[in-house]
Amino acid sequence: QVNVVETGGGSVQAGGSLRLSCTNSGVSRTRSVAWFRQAHGHEREGVAALITNSDSNVTSLSDSVKGRFTISQDYKKNTVFLEMNDLRPEDAGTYRCAVFLGWLVPKEALKAYRYGNWGAGTEVAVSS
């Protein structure tokens, strides 16, 4: 059974930074881990993904966060990090981590329907 837990949300002023963590258990050696966000009244958006096995990894970022967000991992600890810098009010919302037990090509890795294992989410608030 795959378990996905997010931590690290909070409230910051515009221009500030937060780091989210996604720790998962019961995952396979090869896996795709992604962050999605959803603001009230908006559609869910794939923000960042990391596709990995024990030898290599590939990342994918949405255009809306490129240059500001970074996704990375501690493979041995099954933890994926989302470093968010220069936060804007439009970045606010519920951030959820999702895991697919396999290798997704980058263009597919930000599509929510690819993922079957989800965390409960963590809230990010950005004030202007």
Side-chain angles (χ1 to χ4, degrees), residues 44-107:
R44 182 167 48 191
E45 176 191 10
V47 173
L50 188 147
I51 308 105
T52 186
N53 57 33
S54 59
D55 300 317
S56 62
N57 65 77
V58 174
T59 61
S60 180
L61 293 169
S62 70
D63 289 342
S64 62
V65 305
K66 281 181 181 176
R68 302 187 297 124
F69 291 14
T70 303
I71 188 168
S72 62
Q73 69 170 342
D74 184 329
Y75 182 84
K76 291 184 177 180
K77 293 184 178 180
N78 292 344
T79 301
V80 171
F81 306 101
L82 183 66
E83 186 75 37
M84 306 185 294
N85 298 311
D86 189 24
L87 282 161
R88 305 166 181 170
E90 55 264 37
D91 293 318
T94 301
Y95 282 69
R96 296 182 71 188
C97 182
V99 176
F100 171 77
L101 301 180
W103 187 280
L104 291 172
V105 296
K107 69 176 181 179

Side-chain angles (χ1 to χ4, degrees), residues 6-59:
E6 306 97 334
T7 57
S11 180
V12 296
Q13 291 188 326
S17 299
L18 283 173
R19 188 173 82 156
L20 307 183
S21 298
C22 172
T23 300
N24 42 81
S25 59
V27 294
S28 52
R29 174 179 170 272
T30 298
R31 55 194 181 257
S32 303
V33 181
W35 286 95
F36 294 84
R37 68 184 181 190
Q38 187 166 19
H40 181 68
H42 290 77
E43 292 187 356
R44 182 167 48 191
E45 176 191 10
V47 173
L50 188 147
I51 308 105
T52 186
N53 57 33
S54 59
D55 300 317
S56 62
N57 65 77
V58 174
T59 61

